Amino acid sequence: MQATLLLLAAGMGSRYGGLKQLDAMGPSGQTMVDYAVQDAVRAGFSKVVFVIRKDFEDAFRTQVGEKHTDTIEVCYAFQDLNDLPSDYRAPEGRSKPWGTAHAVRAARDCIHEPFAVINADDFYGREAYAQMAVQLKATDPKQLSASMVGYILRNTLSPHGTVNRGICSLDSDNLQGVEEYTAIGHDADGELRGINLADERVSLSPEAVVSMNFWGFTPAIFEHLEAGFEAFLQARGHEEKSEYYLPSLVDSLIQEGAIRCPVLQTESPWFGVTYPDDKARVVASIQKLTDDGVY
């Protein structure tokens, strides 16, 4: 069974600024993408598909993609604001693409095998790739299937500001739903809180399982994604900033009873750069893994 890694690398960091995907984090100039590909190869993935934008294609190919062609098959897909079903057009004034589900959709012609999806600017940890590879290789590629790596909330916070996270509800080891919380951080009293969809700031458990957008799918997901994206466009396609998120697609399929979504809980370290000051912490964390012989 072959498995593909799909890296969502089209986004610019709105708070961090610049192309995080091309920012050196490792002691030898490695980017987050370099570590992702290295860990995927070690776990047995045979192909990587980068979802990028045309305007930085040359830089990405030169600085990232071409370094990995000797160890894994490398392909590219392009997220474009105007890549829409034939009956739809982007509203006048809209400048940003349509979210993570739209980014996955961009790779619909490149992927014909079970695949994992990650954010290209996050560090997920070697164990997480190994767990997902085992899960994907055990799936029937012709059947609709989804899975998710679940991280512990306390391992995903930033000391430099609040974060947004999808907090999971579980039934045994299966995902029941993901609720988005914003502005998660420790308040003055030391309590960890976040703002829920009802705009209420509520207490959160640091041990809560969260989604960091590390998903596993079979190719059958693309048919359901297309249907869900068309329904989204019909309802919200006129808005300038609306986005169709991957967790929304998975949640709708769970509620319909179309899938069960096993959650692969991991203690793998997760590092991300949400704020400029996060970079030094990430660099130090990766240096420690390097010193410990992990890389």
Side-chain angles (χ1 to χ4, degrees), residues 56-114:
F56 63 82
E57 176 186 3
D58 291 344
F60 195 93
R61 283 179 179 269
T62 301
Q63 296 183 45
V64 179
E66 290 177 4
K67 290 190 289 186
H68 300 290
T69 54
D70 289 341
T71 59
I72 194 169
E73 180 184 353
V74 176
C75 303
Y76 298 89
F78 301 95
Q79 187 175 16
D80 187 298
L81 168 66
N82 298 305
D83 180 15
L84 299 172
S86 58
D87 293 339
Y88 295 91
R89 297 290 181 272
E92 188 173 347
R94 185 177 180 112
S95 60
K96 65 184 300 185
W98 300 91
T100 51
H102 180 249
V104 171
R105 179 180 178 272
R108 60 195 180 277
D109 295 328
C110 305
I111 295 177
H112 309 285
E113 57 284 316

Short mmCIF file of all heavy atoms in Angstrom, two decimals, residues 56-114:
data_model
loop_
_atom_site.label_atom_id
_atom_site.label_comp_id
_atom_site.label_asym_id
_atom_site.label_seq_id
_atom_site.Cartn_x
_atom_site.Cartn_y
_atom_site.Cartn_z
N PHE A 56 4.76 32.01 -5.80
CA PHE A 56 6.07 31.69 -5.21
C PHE A 56 6.53 30.28 -5.60
O PHE A 56 7.36 29.68 -4.92
CB PHE A 56 6.07 31.89 -3.69
CG PHE A 56 5.14 31.00 -2.88
CD1 PHE A 56 5.51 29.71 -2.54
CD2 PHE A 56 3.92 31.48 -2.45
CE1 PHE A 56 4.68 28.91 -1.77
CE2 PHE A 56 3.08 30.68 -1.69
CZ PHE A 56 3.47 29.39 -1.34
N GLU A 57 6.04 29.79 -6.73
CA GLU A 57 6.39 28.43 -7.18
C GLU A 57 7.89 28.27 -7.36
O GLU A 57 8.49 27.29 -6.88
CB GLU A 57 5.68 28.11 -8.49
CG GLU A 57 6.08 26.75 -9.05
CD GLU A 57 5.48 26.47 -10.42
OE1 GLU A 57 4.79 27.36 -10.98
OE2 GLU A 57 5.71 25.36 -10.95
N ASP A 58 8.54 29.20 -8.04
CA ASP A 58 9.97 29.06 -8.34
C ASP A 58 10.79 29.01 -7.06
O ASP A 58 11.68 28.16 -6.92
CB ASP A 58 10.44 30.21 -9.23
CG ASP A 58 9.88 30.12 -10.64
OD1 ASP A 58 9.38 29.04 -11.01
OD2 ASP A 58 9.93 31.14 -11.36
N ALA A 59 10.49 29.90 -6.12
CA ALA A 59 11.25 29.93 -4.86
C ALA A 59 11.03 28.64 -4.08
O ALA A 59 11.96 28.08 -3.51
CB ALA A 59 10.84 31.14 -4.03
N PHE A 60 9.79 28.15 -4.07
CA PHE A 60 9.49 26.95 -3.31
C PHE A 60 10.16 25.73 -3.93
O PHE A 60 10.74 24.89 -3.22
CB PHE A 60 7.98 26.74 -3.22
CG PHE A 60 7.56 25.75 -2.18
CD1 PHE A 60 7.23 26.16 -0.90
CD2 PHE A 60 7.53 24.38 -2.47
CE1 PHE A 60 6.87 25.24 0.08
CE2 PHE A 60 7.17 23.46 -1.50
CZ PHE A 60 6.84 23.90 -0.23
N ARG A 61 10.09 25.61 -5.24
CA ARG A 61 10.74 24.48 -5.90
C ARG A 61 12.25 24.47 -5.60
O ARG A 61 12.83 23.42 -5.28
CB ARG A 61 10.52 24.54 -7.41
CG ARG A 61 9.13 24.10 -7.88
CD ARG A 61 9.01 24.24 -9.39
NE ARG A 61 7.74 23.82 -9.90
CZ ARG A 61 7.44 22.58 -10.32
NH1 ARG A 61 8.36 21.64 -10.27
NH2 ARG A 61 6.24 22.30 -10.80
N THR A 62 12.87 25.65 -5.71
CA THR A 62 14.32 25.74 -5.54
C THR A 62 14.74 25.52 -4.10
O THR A 62 15.68 24.76 -3.82
CB THR A 62 14.81 27.12 -6.02
OG1 THR A 62 14.46 27.29 -7.40
CG2 THR A 62 16.32 27.23 -5.86
N GLN A 63 14.05 26.17 -3.17
CA GLN A 63 14.47 26.14 -1.77
C GLN A 63 13.99 24.91 -1.02
O GLN A 63 14.59 24.53 -0.01
CB GLN A 63 13.97 27.40 -1.05
CG GLN A 63 14.57 28.69 -1.59
CD GLN A 63 14.08 29.90 -0.81
OE1 GLN A 63 14.04 29.89 0.42
NE2 GLN A 63 13.70 30.95 -1.50
N VAL A 64 12.91 24.29 -1.49
CA VAL A 64 12.33 23.17 -0.74
C VAL A 64 12.20 21.91 -1.59
O VAL A 64 12.82 20.89 -1.31
CB VAL A 64 10.95 23.56 -0.14
CG1 VAL A 64 10.36 22.38 0.63
CG2 VAL A 64 11.06 24.78 0.75
N GLY A 65 11.37 21.96 -2.61
CA GLY A 65 10.99 20.76 -3.34
C GLY A 65 12.15 19.98 -3.93
O GLY A 65 12.23 18.75 -3.80
N GLU A 66 13.09 20.69 -4.57
CA GLU A 66 14.16 20.00 -5.29
C GLU A 66 15.11 19.27 -4.35
O GLU A 66 15.82 18.35 -4.77
CB GLU A 66 14.92 21.01 -6.15
CG GLU A 66 14.09 21.50 -7.34
CD GLU A 66 14.81 22.56 -8.17
OE1 GLU A 66 15.99 22.85 -7.87
OE2 GLU A 66 14.19 23.09 -9.11
N LYS A 67 15.12 19.63 -3.08
CA LYS A 67 16.00 18.95 -2.12
C LYS A 67 15.55 17.52 -1.83
O LYS A 67 16.33 16.72 -1.32
CB LYS A 67 16.03 19.73 -0.80
CG LYS A 67 16.76 21.04 -0.87
CD LYS A 67 16.97 21.63 0.51
CE LYS A 67 15.68 22.14 1.11
NZ LYS A 67 15.92 22.84 2.40
N HIS A 68 14.29 17.21 -2.16
CA HIS A 68 13.73 15.93 -1.73
C HIS A 68 13.47 14.95 -2.87
O HIS A 68 12.97 13.85 -2.63
CB HIS A 68 12.44 16.18 -0.95
CG HIS A 68 12.65 17.03 0.27
ND1 HIS A 68 13.33 16.58 1.38
CD2 HIS A 68 12.32 18.32 0.52
CE1 HIS A 68 13.39 17.55 2.28
NE2 HIS A 68 12.78 18.61 1.79
N THR A 69 13.80 15.33 -4.09
CA THR A 69 13.46 14.47 -5.23
C THR A 69 14.25 13.16 -5.24
O THR A 69 13.85 12.20 -5.89
CB THR A 69 13.71 15.22 -6.56
OG1 THR A 69 15.06 15.72 -6.58
CG2 THR A 69 12.73 16.39 -6.71
N ASP A 70 15.36 13.10 -4.51
CA ASP A 70 16.14 11.85 -4.46
C ASP A 70 15.57 10.84 -3.47
O ASP A 70 15.92 9.65 -3.53
CB ASP A 70 17.60 12.15 -4.08
CG ASP A 70 18.36 12.84 -5.20
OD1 ASP A 70 17.90 12.78 -6.35
OD2 ASP A 70 19.40 13.46 -4.89
N THR A 71 14.70 11.28 -2.56
CA THR A 71 14.21 10.38 -1.52
C THR A 71 12.73 10.07 -1.63
O THR A 71 12.26 9.10 -1.02
CB THR A 71 14.49 10.96 -0.13
OG1 THR A 71 13.84 12.24 -0.01
CG2 THR A 71 15.98 11.12 0.12
N ILE A 72 11.97 10.87 -2.40
CA ILE A 72 10.52 10.68 -2.47
C ILE A 72 10.00 11.33 -3.76
O ILE A 72 10.59 12.30 -4.26
CB ILE A 72 9.83 11.30 -1.23
CG1 ILE A 72 8.37 10.82 -1.11
CG2 ILE A 72 9.93 12.82 -1.22
CD1 ILE A 72 7.73 11.17 0.24
N GLU A 73 8.92 10.78 -4.29
CA GLU A 73 8.29 11.39 -5.46
C GLU A 73 7.68 12.73 -5.04
O GLU A 73 6.95 12.80 -4.06
CB GLU A 73 7.21 10.48 -6.02
CG GLU A 73 6.50 11.04 -7.25
CD GLU A 73 5.36 10.17 -7.74
OE1 GLU A 73 5.20 9.05 -7.21
OE2 GLU A 73 4.63 10.61 -8.65
N VAL A 74 7.97 13.78 -5.80
CA VAL A 74 7.52 15.12 -5.46
C VAL A 74 6.57 15.65 -6.53
O VAL A 74 6.90 15.60 -7.73
CB VAL A 74 8.72 16.09 -5.30
CG1 VAL A 74 8.23 17.52 -5.05
CG2 VAL A 74 9.64 15.64 -4.18
N CYS A 75 5.40 16.12 -6.11
CA CYS A 75 4.42 16.69 -7.02
C CYS A 75 3.94 18.04 -6.46
O CYS A 75 4.10 18.32 -5.28
CB CYS A 75 3.21 15.77 -7.20
SG CYS A 75 3.62 14.11 -7.78
N TYR A 76 3.34 18.84 -7.34
CA TYR A 76 2.84 20.15 -6.94
C TYR A 76 1.40 20.32 -7.39
O TYR A 76 1.01 19.88 -8.48
CB TYR A 76 3.69 21.27 -7.56
CG TYR A 76 5.14 21.24 -7.12
CD1 TYR A 76 6.08 20.50 -7.84
CD2 TYR A 76 5.56 21.94 -6.00
CE1 TYR A 76 7.41 20.45 -7.43
CE2 TYR A 76 6.89 21.90 -5.59
CZ TYR A 76 7.80 21.15 -6.31
OH TYR A 76 9.11 21.11 -5.91
N ALA A 77 0.63 20.98 -6.54
CA ALA A 77 -0.73 21.41 -6.88
C ALA A 77 -0.83 22.87 -6.47
O ALA A 77 -0.10 23.33 -5.59
CB ALA A 77 -1.78 20.56 -6.17
N PHE A 78 -1.76 23.59 -7.10
CA PHE A 78 -1.81 25.02 -6.89
C PHE A 78 -3.19 25.46 -6.41
O PHE A 78 -4.21 25.20 -7.07
CB PHE A 78 -1.45 25.75 -8.19
CG PHE A 78 -0.07 25.39 -8.68
CD1 PHE A 78 0.11 24.39 -9.63
CD2 PHE A 78 1.04 26.03 -8.17
CE1 PHE A 78 1.38 24.03 -10.06
CE2 PHE A 78 2.32 25.69 -8.59
CZ PHE A 78 2.49 24.69 -9.54
N GLN A 79 -3.19 26.10 -5.24
CA GLN A 79 -4.44 26.67 -4.74
C GLN A 79 -4.66 28.02 -5.39
O GLN A 79 -3.78 28.88 -5.36
CB GLN A 79 -4.41 26.81 -3.21
CG GLN A 79 -5.77 27.24 -2.65
CD GLN A 79 -5.79 27.26 -1.13
OE1 GLN A 79 -4.74 27.26 -0.49
NE2 GLN A 79 -6.97 27.31 -0.55
N ASP A 80 -5.83 28.18 -5.97
CA ASP A 80 -6.16 29.41 -6.70
C ASP A 80 -7.56 29.84 -6.33
O ASP A 80 -8.48 29.02 -6.32
CB ASP A 80 -6.06 29.14 -8.21
CG ASP A 80 -6.21 30.41 -9.04
OD1 ASP A 80 -7.28 31.03 -8.99
OD2 ASP A 80 -5.25 30.76 -9.76
N LEU A 81 -7.70 31.11 -6.05
CA LEU A 81 -8.98 31.68 -5.67
C LEU A 81 -10.09 31.33 -6.65
O LEU A 81 -11.25 31.10 -6.27
CB LEU A 81 -8.83 33.20 -5.58
CG LEU A 81 -10.08 34.07 -5.47
CD1 LEU A 81 -10.79 33.80 -4.15
CD2 LEU A 81 -9.71 35.54 -5.58
N ASN A 82 -9.74 31.25 -7.93
CA ASN A 82 -10.74 31.04 -8.97
C ASN A 82 -10.91 29.59 -9.38
O ASN A 82 -11.64 29.30 -10.34
CB ASN A 82 -10.38 31.90 -10.20
CG ASN A 82 -10.40 33.38 -9.88
OD1 ASN A 82 -11.40 33.90 -9.40
ND2 ASN A 82 -9.29 34.05 -10.14
N ASP A 83 -10.28 28.67 -8.65
CA ASP A 83 -10.47 27.24 -8.91
C ASP A 83 -11.74 26.80 -8.20
O ASP A 83 -11.73 26.36 -7.04
CB ASP A 83 -9.26 26.45 -8.40
CG ASP A 83 -9.41 24.95 -8.63
OD1 ASP A 83 -10.29 24.55 -9.43
OD2 ASP A 83 -8.66 24.18 -8.00
N LEU A 84 -12.86 26.94 -8.90
CA LEU A 84 -14.18 26.72 -8.33
C LEU A 84 -15.00 25.80 -9.23
O LEU A 84 -14.70 25.69 -10.43
CB LEU A 84 -14.93 28.05 -8.16
CG LEU A 84 -14.30 29.09 -7.24
CD1 LEU A 84 -15.05 30.41 -7.34
CD2 LEU A 84 -14.30 28.60 -5.80
N PRO A 85 -16.03 25.15 -8.70
CA PRO A 85 -16.95 24.42 -9.58
C PRO A 85 -17.49 25.35 -10.67
O PRO A 85 -17.59 26.57 -10.48
CB PRO A 85 -18.07 23.98 -8.63
CG PRO A 85 -17.41 23.92 -7.29
CD PRO A 85 -16.40 25.03 -7.28
N SER A 86 -17.85 24.76 -11.80
CA SER A 86 -18.12 25.55 -13.01
C SER A 86 -19.21 26.60 -12.86
O SER A 86 -19.21 27.61 -13.55
CB SER A 86 -18.47 24.61 -14.17
OG SER A 86 -19.59 23.81 -13.83
N ASP A 87 -20.15 26.40 -11.95
CA ASP A 87 -21.27 27.33 -11.83
C ASP A 87 -20.99 28.51 -10.90
O ASP A 87 -21.88 29.33 -10.67
CB ASP A 87 -22.52 26.59 -11.32
CG ASP A 87 -23.04 25.59 -12.34
OD1 ASP A 87 -22.71 25.75 -13.54
OD2 ASP A 87 -23.75 24.65 -11.94
N TYR A 88 -19.77 28.59 -10.37
CA TYR A 88 -19.49 29.62 -9.36
C TYR A 88 -18.36 30.54 -9.80
O TYR A 88 -17.47 30.16 -10.56
CB TYR A 88 -19.14 28.97 -8.02
CG TYR A 88 -20.30 28.19 -7.44
CD1 TYR A 88 -20.47 26.83 -7.73
CD2 TYR A 88 -21.23 28.80 -6.62
CE1 TYR A 88 -21.53 26.10 -7.21
CE2 TYR A 88 -22.31 28.09 -6.10
CZ TYR A 88 -22.45 26.75 -6.40
OH TYR A 88 -23.51 26.04 -5.89
N ARG A 89 -18.40 31.76 -9.29
CA ARG A 89 -17.36 32.75 -9.49
C ARG A 89 -17.04 33.41 -8.16
O ARG A 89 -17.92 33.59 -7.32
CB ARG A 89 -17.82 33.84 -10.48
CG ARG A 89 -18.12 33.34 -11.88
CD ARG A 89 -16.87 32.91 -12.62
NE ARG A 89 -17.16 32.44 -13.97
CZ ARG A 89 -17.46 31.21 -14.29
NH1 ARG A 89 -17.52 30.29 -13.34
NH2 ARG A 89 -17.70 30.86 -15.54
N ALA A 90 -15.76 33.78 -7.98
CA ALA A 90 -15.37 34.48 -6.76
C ALA A 90 -16.00 35.86 -6.74
O ALA A 90 -16.09 36.53 -7.78
CB ALA A 90 -13.85 34.60 -6.69
N PRO A 91 -16.49 36.32 -5.58
CA PRO A 91 -17.10 37.65 -5.51
C PRO A 91 -16.08 38.75 -5.76
O PRO A 91 -14.89 38.59 -5.43
CB PRO A 91 -17.66 37.72 -4.09
CG PRO A 91 -16.84 36.76 -3.31
CD PRO A 91 -16.48 35.66 -4.26
N GLU A 92 -16.52 39.83 -6.30
CA GLU A 92 -15.64 40.96 -6.56
C GLU A 92 -15.07 41.47 -5.24
O GLU A 92 -15.78 41.61 -4.24
CB GLU A 92 -16.43 42.09 -7.25
CG GLU A 92 -15.55 43.23 -7.74
CD GLU A 92 -16.32 44.24 -8.57
OE1 GLU A 92 -17.46 43.93 -8.97
OE2 GLU A 92 -15.78 45.34 -8.81
N GLY A 93 -13.78 41.71 -5.22
CA GLY A 93 -13.13 42.21 -4.03
C GLY A 93 -12.48 41.13 -3.18
O GLY A 93 -11.69 41.44 -2.29
N ARG A 94 -12.78 39.87 -3.45
CA ARG A 94 -12.17 38.79 -2.67
C ARG A 94 -10.74 38.55 -3.14
O ARG A 94 -10.49 38.46 -4.35
CB ARG A 94 -12.98 37.50 -2.77
CG ARG A 94 -12.41 36.41 -1.86
CD ARG A 94 -13.21 35.13 -1.87
NE ARG A 94 -12.58 34.18 -0.98
CZ ARG A 94 -13.10 33.74 0.17
NH1 ARG A 94 -14.27 34.18 0.56
NH2 ARG A 94 -12.45 32.88 0.92
N SER A 95 -9.81 38.42 -2.19
CA SER A 95 -8.41 38.23 -2.56
C SER A 95 -7.81 36.94 -2.01
O SER A 95 -6.78 36.48 -2.50
CB SER A 95 -7.56 39.41 -2.06
OG SER A 95 -7.65 39.53 -0.66
N LYS A 96 -8.42 36.32 -0.99
CA LYS A 96 -7.84 35.13 -0.38
C LYS A 96 -8.59 33.89 -0.83
O LYS A 96 -9.78 33.94 -1.12
CB LYS A 96 -7.84 35.25 1.14
CG LYS A 96 -9.21 35.29 1.78
CD LYS A 96 -9.13 35.51 3.29
CE LYS A 96 -8.36 34.40 3.96
NZ LYS A 96 -8.37 34.53 5.44
N PRO A 97 -7.88 32.74 -0.90
CA PRO A 97 -8.55 31.47 -1.24
C PRO A 97 -9.56 31.06 -0.19
O PRO A 97 -9.82 31.79 0.77
CB PRO A 97 -7.39 30.49 -1.35
CG PRO A 97 -6.19 31.32 -1.61
CD PRO A 97 -6.43 32.59 -0.83
N TRP A 98 -10.09 29.85 -0.32
CA TRP A 98 -11.31 29.47 0.37
C TRP A 98 -11.09 28.54 1.56
O TRP A 98 -12.02 27.84 1.97
CB TRP A 98 -12.27 28.83 -0.63
CG TRP A 98 -12.65 29.71 -1.76
CD1 TRP A 98 -12.02 29.82 -2.97
CD2 TRP A 98 -13.76 30.63 -1.82
NE1 TRP A 98 -12.66 30.74 -3.77
CE2 TRP A 98 -13.74 31.24 -3.10
CE3 TRP A 98 -14.78 30.97 -0.92
CZ2 TRP A 98 -14.68 32.19 -3.49
CZ3 TRP A 98 -15.72 31.91 -1.32
CH2 TRP A 98 -15.67 32.51 -2.58
N GLY A 99 -9.89 28.46 2.12
CA GLY A 99 -9.69 27.68 3.32
C GLY A 99 -9.03 26.33 3.09
O GLY A 99 -8.68 25.95 1.96
N THR A 100 -8.88 25.57 4.17
CA THR A 100 -8.10 24.33 4.12
C THR A 100 -8.76 23.24 3.27
O THR A 100 -8.05 22.46 2.61
CB THR A 100 -7.83 23.80 5.53
OG1 THR A 100 -9.07 23.73 6.26
CG2 THR A 100 -6.87 24.70 6.27
N ALA A 101 -10.08 23.16 3.29
CA ALA A 101 -10.73 22.14 2.46
C ALA A 101 -10.52 22.46 0.98
O ALA A 101 -10.32 21.57 0.15
CB ALA A 101 -12.23 22.05 2.78
N HIS A 102 -10.55 23.74 0.64
CA HIS A 102 -10.29 24.16 -0.73
C HIS A 102 -8.85 23.84 -1.12
O HIS A 102 -8.57 23.46 -2.27
CB HIS A 102 -10.57 25.67 -0.86
CG HIS A 102 -10.34 26.23 -2.23
ND1 HIS A 102 -9.30 27.10 -2.50
CD2 HIS A 102 -11.00 26.05 -3.39
CE1 HIS A 102 -9.34 27.43 -3.78
NE2 HIS A 102 -10.36 26.82 -4.35
N ALA A 103 -7.91 23.98 -0.17
CA ALA A 103 -6.51 23.65 -0.45
C ALA A 103 -6.36 22.16 -0.75
O ALA A 103 -5.64 21.78 -1.68
CB ALA A 103 -5.63 24.05 0.72
N VAL A 104 -7.02 21.31 0.01
CA VAL A 104 -6.98 19.87 -0.26
C VAL A 104 -7.59 19.57 -1.63
O VAL A 104 -7.07 18.76 -2.40
CB VAL A 104 -7.71 19.09 0.85
CG1 VAL A 104 -7.86 17.62 0.47
CG2 VAL A 104 -6.96 19.22 2.17
N ARG A 105 -8.68 20.24 -1.94
CA ARG A 105 -9.35 20.05 -3.24
C ARG A 105 -8.40 20.33 -4.40
O ARG A 105 -8.51 19.71 -5.47
CB ARG A 105 -10.57 20.97 -3.32
CG ARG A 105 -11.36 20.91 -4.62
CD ARG A 105 -12.55 21.86 -4.57
NE ARG A 105 -13.29 21.87 -5.82
CZ ARG A 105 -13.03 22.66 -6.86
NH1 ARG A 105 -12.00 23.51 -6.79
NH2 ARG A 105 -13.75 22.60 -7.96
N ALA A 106 -7.46 21.24 -4.20
CA ALA A 106 -6.52 21.58 -5.27
C ALA A 106 -5.70 20.38 -5.72
O ALA A 106 -5.20 20.35 -6.85
CB ALA A 106 -5.59 22.71 -4.81
N ALA A 107 -5.57 19.38 -4.86
CA ALA A 107 -4.75 18.20 -5.17
C ALA A 107 -5.56 17.04 -5.69
O ALA A 107 -5.06 15.92 -5.81
CB ALA A 107 -3.97 17.78 -3.93
N ARG A 108 -6.81 17.29 -6.07
CA ARG A 108 -7.72 16.19 -6.43
C ARG A 108 -7.25 15.38 -7.64
O ARG A 108 -7.58 14.20 -7.75
CB ARG A 108 -9.13 16.74 -6.69
CG ARG A 108 -9.21 17.77 -7.83
CD ARG A 108 -10.54 18.53 -7.76
NE ARG A 108 -10.71 19.52 -8.82
CZ ARG A 108 -10.21 20.76 -8.76
NH1 ARG A 108 -9.47 21.13 -7.73
NH2 ARG A 108 -10.43 21.60 -9.75
N ASP A 109 -6.47 15.98 -8.53
CA ASP A 109 -6.00 15.24 -9.70
C ASP A 109 -4.63 14.60 -9.49
O ASP A 109 -4.14 13.90 -10.37
CB ASP A 109 -5.93 16.19 -10.91
CG ASP A 109 -7.30 16.70 -11.33
OD1 ASP A 109 -8.28 15.95 -11.18
OD2 ASP A 109 -7.39 17.85 -11.81
N CYS A 110 -4.03 14.84 -8.32
CA CYS A 110 -2.68 14.34 -8.04
C CYS A 110 -2.67 13.10 -7.15
O CYS A 110 -1.64 12.43 -7.05
CB CYS A 110 -1.84 15.41 -7.35
SG CYS A 110 -1.73 16.98 -8.20
N ILE A 111 -3.79 12.82 -6.48
CA ILE A 111 -3.79 11.80 -5.44
C ILE A 111 -4.80 10.71 -5.76
O ILE A 111 -5.98 11.00 -5.97
CB ILE A 111 -4.10 12.44 -4.07
CG1 ILE A 111 -2.97 13.41 -3.67
CG2 ILE A 111 -4.28 11.37 -3.01
CD1 ILE A 111 -3.21 14.13 -2.36
N HIS A 112 -4.32 9.47 -5.77
CA HIS A 112 -5.17 8.31 -6.07
C HIS A 112 -4.93 7.19 -5.06
O HIS A 112 -5.25 6.03 -5.33
CB HIS A 112 -4.91 7.82 -7.49
CG HIS A 112 -4.97 8.92 -8.51
ND1 HIS A 112 -6.16 9.46 -8.95
CD2 HIS A 112 -3.98 9.60 -9.14
CE1 HIS A 112 -5.92 10.43 -9.82
NE2 HIS A 112 -4.59 10.53 -9.96
N GLU A 113 -4.38 7.53 -3.91
CA GLU A 113 -4.03 6.56 -2.88
C GLU A 113 -4.33 7.18 -1.51
O GLU A 113 -4.58 8.39 -1.42
CB GLU A 113 -2.55 6.18 -2.97
CG GLU A 113 -1.57 7.34 -2.88
CD GLU A 113 -1.48 8.16 -4.15
OE1 GLU A 113 -1.41 7.57 -5.24
OE2 GLU A 113 -1.49 9.41 -4.04
N PRO A 114 -4.35 6.39 -0.43
CA PRO A 114 -4.55 6.98 0.88
C PRO A 114 -3.51 8.07 1.15
O PRO A 114 -2.35 7.95 0.74
CB PRO A 114 -4.38 5.80 1.84
CG PRO A 114 -4.75 4.60 1.01
CD PRO A 114 -4.24 4.91 -0.38
#
